[in-house]
Amino acid sequence: MTEHPTSYERPQPGVDPADPRGALLRTSTPAPPPGAAALPSQARGGDGQPGTAAPCAQGRGPDGGTGPEHSQPTAAEAMGAPPARAKPSEGEHRPRPAPEGIPVQPGAAVPAGQERRTGQGPAPGQPTPMRRDGDRLRFVGAATRRIARGLDLDEIVMGLCRATVPTFSDAILVYLRDPLPVGDERPTGPLVLRLRRTDRIPVDRDAEAGFAPLPRPAAQPEPWELAELSSVAAELCEVRGGAALAEVLRGVRPVFADAPAARAALPELLGAGGDLVVPSGQRAILAPLRGRRRVIGAAVFLRRPERVAFEADDLLVAAQLATHSALGIDKAVLYDREAYIADELQRTMLPETLPRPTGVRLASRYLPAAETARVGGDWYDAIPLPGSRVALVVGDVMGHSMTSAAIMGQLRTTAQTLAGLDLPPQEVLHHLDEQAQRLGTDRMATCLYAVYDPVAHRITIANAGHPPPVLLHLGGRAEVLRVPPGAPIGVGGVDFEAVELDAPAGATLLLYTDGLVESRLRDVWTGIEQLREKLAATAQLTGPDHPPPLEALCDEVLDMLGPGDRDDDIALLAARFDGIAPSDVAYWFLAPEDAAPGKARRLARRALARWGLEDLTDSVELLVSEVVTNAVRYASRPVTLRLLRTDVLRCEVGDDVPQLPRLRQARATDEGGRGLYLVNRLARRWGATRLSTGKVVWFELNRT
């Protein structure tokens, strides 16, 4: 089906196509074809007064005569073409009919003083005839299609305004409920209408375009020439129960402004400036906007005094426009709610902020596949582990839908739980595979799990069908790490293999999903090679001794995406390895005996003196003594004590007992139970983490 544009969108002969008042501009009347015989106009009986509905049995013409019942004009006549001629004889060429479209608006100037249907000039002071039913149907079809194009609220309201001005009316005011109800929810507050948008034909448009203004009776002033509609009409209107406006909105049907109900309702809707907006006579229509379940607003259609007033059939046109607009607004509100839910779901599934573990800096990016698919199955995560280590995770669930996001959330939560148990990377992937199989047989995902140790400057990586990471060295060399690919999560019955690699200080590890390197225009390995070259080229800009900033590096990586490369959502996690220097680490083994706390105090005192942190000696000795005493009491193997000097002072005590200590309030008669209370009061932060071989209790103190 071909959509017919509105009259002001289609350039008319001899008129500047840029002028939006195409339906109101003066155009020359095309000459009839040679030999065409003009048929007499179909006369309609009646008084010919504007705004009066014609009887069904009879039509009305400009001359007041009567004609055959149900007479209809041709499409060419409705467009202002000359009347049809007699049937051509054999061999005579048949002229091509004029294309269908929305005719010029009633009240527009008729060239050469002729009436566009009969070719005869109207009597002095008599308005031009109304449009016919076929014209209205074509206009309603084009207008509703234009309104239906919009997806969001502003597009639909703008579509209503652009479709009606100037083709159907000279100005429009659209009021919508504030706030708009969504779906089945019941509004709790009073019914308040807010002026959402106004549109009108500027008075000086004709003068700017070089056309003479339409004639206006001197006794009738222009109602909205005094100011903009948005400044004259009230912005807010509270609909009071039982008032005239409430009755009109409850009736749903459009009404003329001179109707008794509308005369009382319009001042209530438009406020004190309503008299300046509404012209006299049937030149204004108040149309309630009713959605699927309730009234959500109102629209006011206005015509200038020099234009022919609205007819009764125009109420049906206004009703169609109001119905389609209201249903479209309901659709847009529901779509906005779905988009909001999708955004919130994706935001809660991904980390809100990245942690700041010791010895590593992190940056991340996430891009959805498209605006209409904001939820996907890609995720990333950074999880602090005992011993100042950090787990780096990136994964990709098949698809980018609500289901994919839900599965991604479950897998991410499972990965966080497994990381808290300090399991090796291959064991984490094995348990993720089992979890995916429990979720369903078709729940497939890829995942890469890496653990970075800043003290040992090593990284352990296990892969489950995910693209390999890229390591950017300090000198500018980009290397695709050789990691066993493994099978995707959800396949079942496969083993995962972990590899341990060097992680030198100053290097940057880039974890990503396949949406960054694979698209319809390139395969995954071509994309990986382009990514490696992009990283190397970016590193050359900062020199061999300075790695590129992480945030700028992530932006540069995303710049490699072309117009056809956004087929899937993208998750990106970059980790800069700073490490911890050996001179900032002190590590000891303590036998599980009564003398261990005293030895721990002496070792800690010497380390603090070597680092120039004597101000922390008293606090560290007290806290170390309490934690080591608790570990020695239950341990059967040597206890470990480690001090780390970074931006804070961190102390870690490990033993082979899996039970985690709990903070409790000791009674006055208890001999113990106050150690963790002291740690909680004096330390900046503290915690306990269960390991596969026991547990680690740690605390941190500010260095200054």
Side-chain angles (χ1 to χ4, degrees), residues 314-564:
D314 290 325
L315 292 178
L316 302 178
V317 175
Q320 288 289 327
L321 297 176
T323 299
H324 283 273
S325 300
L327 294 178
I329 291 171
D330 261 358
K331 174 189 67 176
V333 172
L334 290 173
Y335 176 80
D336 289 343
R337 172 60 63 88
E338 292 295 328
Y340 171 77
I341 294 174
D343 289 341
E344 288 297 314
L345 177 62
Q346 188 69 62
R347 188 176 295 110
T348 54
M349 292 297 182
L350 296 176
E352 184 176 356
T353 58
L354 292 174
R356 296 182 179 180
T358 303
V360 61
R361 286 175 287 170
L362 303 172
S364 62
R365 294 290 187 275
Y366 176 81
L367 292 179
E371 285 296 323
T372 55
R374 305 181 187 183
V375 180
D378 292 13
W379 90 91
Y380 61 89
D381 212 342
I383 309 168
L385 299 178
S388 299
R389 297 171 300 155
V390 59
L392 307 175
V393 190
V394 64
D396 183 5
V397 179
M398 289 192 309
H400 37 80
S401 62
M402 290 285 190
T403 303
S404 301
I407 297 173
M408 177 265 285
Q410 297 183 65
L411 294 180
R412 178 175 175 243
T413 302
T414 304
Q416 289 179 332
T417 304
L418 296 172
L421 300 176
D422 198 30
L423 297 178
Q426 65 272 21
E427 291 295 325
V428 172
L429 294 183
H430 175 72
H431 289 292
L432 284 177
D433 180 62
E434 292 180 340
Q435 175 67 12
Q437 294 179 63
R438 285 191 289 268
L439 295 176
T441 57
D442 58 344
R443 307 310 188 192
M444 304 285 291
T446 63
C447 182
L448 191 143
Y449 189 92
V451 176
Y452 170 65
D453 189 345
V455 177
H457 295 272
R458 304 282 288 178
I459 185 169
T460 305
I461 306 175
N463 191 8
H466 203 78
V470 179
L471 184 65
L472 179 62
H473 293 268
L474 185 59
R477 180 174 64 91
E479 173 189 8
V480 180
L481 298 182
R482 297 184 178 182
V483 180
I489 291 174
V491 173
V494 296
D495 293 330
F496 299 98
E497 182 181 354
V499 295
E500 188 174 353
L501 305 171
D502 288 331
T508 304
L509 183 69
L510 196 70
L511 309 179
Y512 54 91
T513 56
D514 57 355
L516 180 66
V517 295
E518 185 179 19
S519 68
R520 293 169 296 164
L521 305 179
R522 60 184 179 187
D523 61 86
V524 61
W525 290 108
T526 301
I528 292 175
E529 180 61 23
Q530 293 178 359
L531 174 61
R532 189 192 65 80
E533 295 175 354
K534 183 70 173 181
L535 290 174
T538 304
Q540 296 297 327
L541 300 177
T542 57
D545 300 330
H546 298 85
L550 272 183
E551 299 293 339
L553 181 64
C554 292
D555 294 336
E556 288 293 330
V557 167
L558 294 180
D559 284 344
M560 66 177 285
L561 297 172

Side-chain angles (χ1 to χ4, degrees), residues 216-247:
R216 179 187 309 148
Q220 297 181 353
E222 175 61 55
W224 53 80
E225 279 184 4
L226 302 178
E228 292 290 339
L229 289 175
S230 57
S231 62
V232 176
E235 182 180 0
L236 286 176
C237 169
E238 181 175 347
V239 181
R240 300 183 301 273
L245 181 58
E247 294 299 326

